[in-house]
Protein backbone atom coordinates (compact mmCIF):
# COMPACT_ATOMS: atom_id res chain seq x y z
CA UNK A 1 0.00 0.00 0.00
CA UNK A 2 2.82 2.36 0.94
CA UNK A 3 4.62 1.45 -2.29
CA UNK A 4 1.54 2.36 -4.37
CA UNK A 5 1.26 5.64 -2.54
CA UNK A 6 4.93 6.39 -3.28
CA UNK A 7 4.38 5.67 -6.99
CA UNK A 8 1.39 7.98 -6.94
CA UNK A 9 3.38 10.79 -5.32
CA UNK A 10 6.22 10.36 -7.84
CA UNK A 11 3.73 10.43 -10.74
CA UNK A 12 2.15 13.63 -9.43
CA UNK A 13 5.56 15.24 -9.06
CA UNK A 14 6.51 14.29 -12.62
CA UNK A 15 3.25 15.72 -13.99
CA UNK A 16 3.82 18.90 -12.00
CA UNK A 17 7.36 19.35 -13.34
CA UNK A 18 6.27 18.73 -16.96
CA UNK A 19 3.29 21.07 -16.66
CA UNK A 20 5.32 23.80 -15.00
CA UNK A 21 8.10 23.52 -17.60
CA UNK A 22 5.59 23.83 -20.42
CA UNK A 23 3.94 26.80 -18.74
CA UNK A 24 7.29 28.50 -18.12
CA UNK A 25 8.28 28.00 -21.75
CA UNK A 26 4.98 29.49 -22.89
CA UNK A 27 5.35 32.47 -20.56
CA UNK A 28 8.86 33.06 -21.86
CA UNK A 29 7.57 33.01 -25.42
CA UNK A 30 4.41 34.96 -24.63
CA UNK A 31 6.00 38.41 -24.46
CA UNK A 32 9.08 37.85 -26.56
CA UNK A 33 10.62 40.31 -29.05
CA UNK A 34 9.41 40.37 -32.64
CA UNK A 35 11.98 41.18 -35.31
CA UNK A 36 10.69 43.37 -38.12
CA UNK A 37 11.92 43.04 -41.68
CA UNK A 38 13.22 46.33 -43.05
CA UNK A 39 15.00 47.62 -46.16
CA UNK A 40 18.20 45.75 -45.30
CA UNK A 41 17.07 42.48 -43.70
CA UNK A 42 14.20 40.53 -45.23
CA UNK A 43 13.10 36.92 -44.89
CA UNK A 44 11.79 34.29 -47.26
CA UNK A 45 11.79 30.51 -46.86
CA UNK A 46 13.73 30.84 -43.58
CA UNK A 47 16.59 32.66 -45.29
CA UNK A 48 17.86 36.19 -44.86
CA UNK A 49 18.29 38.33 -47.93
CA UNK A 50 16.62 41.05 -49.98
CA UNK A 51 13.83 41.36 -52.55
CA UNK A 52 15.27 43.04 -55.65
CA UNK A 53 13.70 44.43 -58.83
CA UNK A 54 16.40 43.73 -61.41
CA UNK A 55 14.69 45.88 -64.03
CA UNK A 56 14.72 48.90 -61.73
CA UNK A 57 18.37 48.34 -60.82
CA UNK A 58 19.32 47.56 -64.43
CA UNK A 59 21.42 44.61 -63.32
CA UNK A 60 21.50 40.98 -64.32
CA UNK A 61 20.71 38.15 -61.96
CA UNK A 62 24.33 37.03 -62.13
CA UNK A 63 25.63 40.50 -61.21
CA UNK A 64 23.30 40.83 -58.24
CA UNK A 65 23.98 37.29 -57.00
CA UNK A 66 27.71 38.00 -57.14
CA UNK A 67 27.18 41.20 -55.12
CA UNK A 68 25.50 39.20 -52.33
CA UNK A 69 28.06 36.40 -52.54
CA UNK A 70 25.70 33.62 -53.66
CA UNK A 71 25.36 31.46 -56.76
CA UNK A 72 22.91 32.45 -59.49
CA UNK A 73 21.55 28.90 -59.44
CA UNK A 74 20.70 29.25 -55.76
CA UNK A 75 18.69 32.37 -56.54
CA UNK A 76 16.92 30.58 -59.39
CA UNK A 77 15.95 27.68 -57.12
CA UNK A 78 14.60 29.70 -54.19
CA UNK A 79 12.45 31.75 -56.60
CA UNK A 80 11.42 28.73 -58.72
CA UNK A 81 12.69 30.45 -61.86
CA UNK A 82 13.54 28.99 -65.25
CA UNK A 83 15.70 30.54 -67.98
CA UNK A 84 12.49 31.38 -69.85
CA UNK A 85 11.16 33.22 -66.78
CA UNK A 86 14.22 35.48 -66.68
CA UNK A 87 13.54 36.78 -70.20
CA UNK A 88 10.14 38.14 -69.21
CA UNK A 89 10.75 38.89 -65.54
CA UNK A 90 8.52 41.72 -64.30
CA UNK A 91 8.63 41.19 -60.55
CA UNK A 92 11.04 41.34 -57.65
CA UNK A 93 12.97 38.19 -56.79
CA UNK A 94 14.56 37.15 -53.52
CA UNK A 95 18.36 37.09 -53.18
CA UNK A 96 19.68 35.27 -50.10
CA UNK A 97 22.75 36.69 -48.35
CA UNK A 98 25.99 34.78 -48.00
CA UNK A 99 27.51 34.47 -44.53
CA UNK A 100 30.28 36.88 -45.54
CA UNK A 101 27.79 39.48 -46.75
CA UNK A 102 25.93 39.18 -43.44
CA UNK A 103 29.17 39.79 -41.54
CA UNK A 104 29.84 42.90 -43.62
CA UNK A 105 26.42 44.28 -42.74
CA UNK A 106 27.11 43.64 -39.09
CA UNK A 107 30.43 45.47 -39.31
CA UNK A 108 28.59 48.45 -40.82
CA UNK A 109 26.28 48.39 -37.79
CA UNK A 110 23.15 47.81 -39.85
CA UNK A 111 20.39 46.31 -37.75
CA UNK A 112 16.79 45.18 -37.57
CA UNK A 113 14.07 46.74 -35.46
CA UNK A 114 12.39 44.81 -32.70
CA UNK A 115 9.20 45.33 -30.71
CA UNK A 116 7.78 43.52 -27.72
CA UNK A 117 4.62 41.65 -28.69
CA UNK A 118 2.58 39.02 -26.82
CA UNK A 119 2.24 35.73 -28.68
CA UNK A 120 -1.53 36.17 -28.87
CA UNK A 121 -1.48 39.72 -30.23
CA UNK A 122 -1.15 41.03 -33.80
CA UNK A 123 1.40 43.67 -34.78
CA UNK A 124 0.82 46.61 -37.12
CA UNK A 125 1.36 45.57 -40.75
CA UNK A 126 3.59 48.56 -41.51
CA UNK A 127 6.99 49.59 -40.20
CA UNK A 128 6.84 52.20 -37.44
CA UNK A 129 7.63 55.60 -38.97
CA UNK A 130 6.32 59.13 -39.20
CA UNK A 131 5.04 58.68 -42.76
CA UNK A 132 2.12 56.40 -41.87
CA UNK A 133 -1.25 57.31 -40.39
CA UNK A 134 -4.70 55.80 -39.99
CA UNK A 135 -6.82 57.23 -42.80
CA UNK A 136 -10.04 55.24 -42.25
CA UNK A 137 -11.41 52.89 -39.59
CA UNK A 138 -13.86 50.00 -39.68
CA UNK A 139 -17.50 51.08 -39.83
CA UNK A 140 -19.99 52.89 -42.02
CA UNK A 141 -18.39 54.97 -44.76
CA UNK A 142 -19.98 56.49 -47.89
CA UNK A 143 -23.21 54.57 -47.28
CA UNK A 144 -21.36 51.24 -47.21
CA UNK A 145 -19.65 49.20 -44.49
CA UNK A 146 -15.87 49.63 -44.44
CA UNK A 147 -14.55 46.21 -43.40
CA UNK A 148 -11.11 47.05 -42.12
CA UNK A 149 -8.51 49.60 -41.16
CA UNK A 150 -6.80 51.81 -43.76
CA UNK A 151 -3.22 52.87 -43.06
CA UNK A 152 -1.99 55.57 -45.42
CA UNK A 153 1.64 54.97 -46.33
CA UNK A 154 3.88 55.82 -49.32
CA UNK A 155 3.80 53.50 -52.33
CA UNK A 156 6.27 50.59 -52.22
CA UNK A 157 6.51 50.66 -48.42
CA UNK A 158 7.07 47.35 -46.63
CA UNK A 159 3.97 45.39 -45.61
CA UNK A 160 4.46 42.93 -42.72
CA UNK A 161 2.67 39.78 -41.62
CA UNK A 162 0.76 40.65 -38.45
CA UNK A 163 1.35 37.18 -36.93
CA UNK A 164 2.71 33.73 -37.74
CA UNK A 165 0.58 31.88 -40.26
CA UNK A 166 0.12 30.31 -43.67
CA UNK A 167 -0.70 32.26 -46.81
CA UNK A 168 -4.10 31.13 -48.08
CA UNK A 169 -4.54 33.58 -50.94
CA UNK A 170 -2.21 35.92 -52.81
CA UNK A 171 -3.32 37.64 -55.97
CA UNK A 172 -5.74 40.09 -57.47
CA UNK A 173 -9.00 40.25 -55.52
CA UNK A 174 -11.51 42.69 -57.03
CA UNK A 175 -11.79 45.93 -55.05
CA UNK A 176 -8.90 44.78 -52.84
CA UNK A 177 -6.48 44.93 -55.74
CA UNK A 178 -3.39 42.85 -55.11
CA UNK A 179 -4.07 41.26 -51.74
CA UNK A 180 -2.75 38.65 -49.30
CA UNK A 181 -4.87 36.55 -46.94
CA UNK A 182 -3.14 34.73 -44.08
CA UNK A 183 -4.55 31.99 -41.85
CA UNK A 184 -3.38 32.08 -38.21
CA UNK A 185 -3.96 28.62 -36.76
CA UNK A 186 -2.20 29.42 -33.48
CA UNK A 187 -4.31 32.53 -32.90
CA UNK A 188 -7.78 31.04 -32.60
CA UNK A 189 -8.01 30.45 -36.35
CA UNK A 190 -8.18 34.13 -37.27
CA UNK A 191 -7.48 35.42 -40.76
CA UNK A 192 -5.82 38.69 -41.70
CA UNK A 193 -6.07 40.42 -45.08
CA UNK A 194 -3.75 43.03 -46.61
CA UNK A 195 -5.13 44.88 -49.63
CA UNK A 196 -4.21 47.41 -52.37
CA UNK A 197 -0.56 46.33 -52.65
CA UNK A 198 1.75 47.21 -55.52
CA UNK A 199 3.54 43.86 -55.47
CA UNK A 200 3.08 40.57 -53.62
CA UNK A 201 6.12 38.69 -52.33
CA UNK A 202 4.44 35.51 -51.08
CA UNK A 203 2.31 32.80 -52.64
CA UNK A 204 -0.40 30.42 -51.33
CA UNK A 205 1.12 27.78 -49.06
CA UNK A 206 4.02 29.94 -47.85
CA UNK A 207 4.62 29.81 -44.09
CA UNK A 208 5.25 33.32 -42.77
CA UNK A 209 6.43 34.70 -39.45
CA UNK A 210 5.22 37.71 -37.51
CA UNK A 211 7.12 40.74 -38.80
CA UNK A 212 8.06 39.14 -42.14
CA UNK A 213 7.72 41.20 -45.31
CA UNK A 214 4.87 39.90 -47.51
CA UNK A 215 4.27 42.74 -49.99
CA UNK A 216 5.06 46.26 -51.10
CA UNK A 217 2.22 48.72 -50.53
CA UNK A 218 0.40 50.39 -53.39
CA UNK A 219 -2.82 51.76 -54.77
CA UNK A 220 -4.31 48.82 -56.69
CA UNK A 221 -7.99 47.94 -56.78
CA UNK A 222 -10.63 50.38 -55.57
CA UNK A 223 -8.43 52.89 -53.79
CA UNK A 224 -8.12 56.67 -53.60
CA UNK A 225 -4.45 56.72 -52.59
CA UNK A 226 -1.53 54.53 -51.50
CA UNK A 227 -2.40 52.64 -48.33
CA UNK A 228 -2.69 49.22 -46.69
CA UNK A 229 -6.22 47.95 -46.10
CA UNK A 230 -5.89 45.63 -43.08
CA UNK A 231 -8.62 43.25 -41.93
CA UNK A 232 -9.02 40.78 -39.07
CA UNK A 233 -11.62 38.07 -39.68
CA UNK A 234 -13.06 35.24 -37.61
CA UNK A 235 -15.14 32.75 -39.61
CA UNK A 236 -15.73 35.47 -42.23
CA UNK A 237 -16.92 37.95 -39.60
CA UNK A 238 -15.10 41.29 -39.90
CA UNK A 239 -13.64 42.39 -36.56
CA UNK A 240 -12.15 45.71 -35.55
CA UNK A 241 -8.37 45.31 -36.05
CA UNK A 242 -7.66 47.93 -33.39
CA UNK A 243 -9.07 45.57 -30.75
CA UNK A 244 -6.11 43.27 -31.46
CA UNK A 245 -3.36 45.89 -31.74
CA UNK A 246 -1.49 48.27 -29.48
CA UNK A 247 -2.54 51.93 -29.91
CA UNK A 248 -1.08 53.26 -33.14
CA UNK A 249 1.04 55.88 -31.39
CA UNK A 250 2.77 53.21 -29.33
CA UNK A 251 3.91 51.42 -32.46
CA UNK A 252 6.49 54.07 -33.31
CA UNK A 253 8.85 53.08 -30.50
CA UNK A 254 11.33 50.38 -31.53
CA UNK A 255 14.74 49.18 -30.45
CA UNK A 256 17.67 48.45 -32.71
CA UNK A 257 18.97 44.90 -32.41
CA UNK A 258 21.51 42.61 -33.98
CA UNK A 259 21.15 39.29 -35.74
CA UNK A 260 19.69 37.04 -33.06
CA UNK A 261 16.37 35.41 -33.89
Amino acid sequence: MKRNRSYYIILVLILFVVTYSAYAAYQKQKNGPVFLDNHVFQRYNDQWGLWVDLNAEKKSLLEKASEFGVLAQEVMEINHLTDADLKRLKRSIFFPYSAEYMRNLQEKELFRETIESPIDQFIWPVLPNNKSRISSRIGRRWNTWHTGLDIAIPKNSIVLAAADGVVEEAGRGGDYGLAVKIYHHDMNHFHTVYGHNQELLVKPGDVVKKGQIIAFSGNTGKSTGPHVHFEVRFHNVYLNPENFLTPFEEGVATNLVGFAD
Side-chain angles (χ1 to χ4, degrees):
M1 187 71 176
K2 289 184 179 180
R3 180 177 297 180
N4 290 339
R5 182 177 298 175
S6 298
Y7 287 152
Y8 176 76
I9 293 173
I10 292 173
L11 179 60
V12 169
L13 288 173
I14 291 174
L15 288 173
F16 173 79
V17 170
V18 171
T19 302
Y20 179 80
S21 298
Y23 176 77
Y26 172 76
Q27 287 297 104
K28 183 179 180 181
Q29 181 187 18
K30 189 175 180 181
N31 290 293
V34 174
F35 298 92
L36 308 178
D37 285 5
N38 55 31
H39 293 284
V40 179
F41 297 102
Q42 297 172 1
R43 283 170 288 182
Y44 185 64
N45 280 354
D46 289 327
Q47 295 196 56
W48 287 105
L50 199 67
W51 289 94
V52 177
D53 183 345
L54 293 175
N55 295 317
E57 293 206 7
K58 294 180 169 49
K59 290 186 177 181
S60 69
L61 185 145
L62 184 60
E63 289 173 325
K64 201 66 184 179
S66 177
E67 179 182 325
F68 291 142
V70 294
L71 298 175
Q73 186 60 37
E74 185 179 354
V75 178
M76 297 278 285
E77 289 175 359
I78 195 172
N79 290 278
H80 304 288
L81 292 173
T82 65
D83 291 334
D85 293 329
L86 286 179
K87 296 178 182 179
R88 56 178 184 272
L89 193 62
K90 294 183 180 180
R91 63 178 178 87
S92 298
I93 59 175
F94 186 79
F95 285 82
Y97 290 154
S98 67
E100 182 179 359
Y101 191 85
M102 290 279 284
R103 284 194 295 271
N104 290 337
L105 291 176
Q106 190 173 26
E107 290 171 0
K108 294 176 182 177
E109 297 186 348
L110 295 173
F111 302 99
R112 293 176 286 158
E113 292 84 10
T114 182
I115 58 174
E116 291 294 322
S117 176
I119 192 174
D120 57 352
Q121 187 175 58
F122 292 117
I123 64 169
W124 289 88
V126 298
L127 283 172
N129 59 57
N130 57 8
K131 296 181 180 180
S132 60
R133 62 182 177 84
I134 296 176
S135 57
S136 185
R137 289 180 159 86
I138 191 170
R140 185 161 294 281
R141 187 184 69 171
W142 304 330
N143 295 321
T144 60
W145 186 261
H146 187 237
T147 55
L149 186 69
D150 287 350
I151 307 167
I153 196 165
K155 186 178 178 181
N156 288 320
S157 297
I158 286 175
V159 180
L160 304 171
D164 294 355
V166 178
V167 177
E168 275 196 358
E169 300 175 15
R172 192 167 294 278
D175 290 349
Y176 288 85
L178 292 174
V180 176
K181 181 180 180 182
I182 300 177
Y183 172 57
H184 306 284
H185 178 273
D186 293 332
M187 291 188 65
N188 296 318
H189 306 281
F190 283 108
H191 286 84
T192 52
V193 177
Y194 315 73
H196 307 302
N197 301 289
Q198 180 66 25
E199 183 177 7
L200 307 183
L201 305 177
V202 292
K203 63 183 186 303
D206 282 352
V207 176
V208 296
K209 294 181 179 180
K210 183 187 288 192
Q212 176 182 332
I213 183 173
I214 57 172
F216 291 120
S217 66
N219 192 31
T220 59
K222 189 176 181 180
S223 171
T224 57
H227 72 283
V228 177
H229 174 82
F230 179 59
E231 293 180 355
V232 175
R233 301 180 188 176
F234 182 68
H235 294 292
N236 288 323
V237 175
Y238 300 98
L239 305 177
N240 185 353
E242 291 183 89
N243 291 338
F244 303 90
L245 297 163
T246 58
F248 192 68
E249 290 73 19
E250 293 183 14
V252 300
T254 60
N255 300 313
L256 294 179
V257 298
F259 288 83
D261 256 321

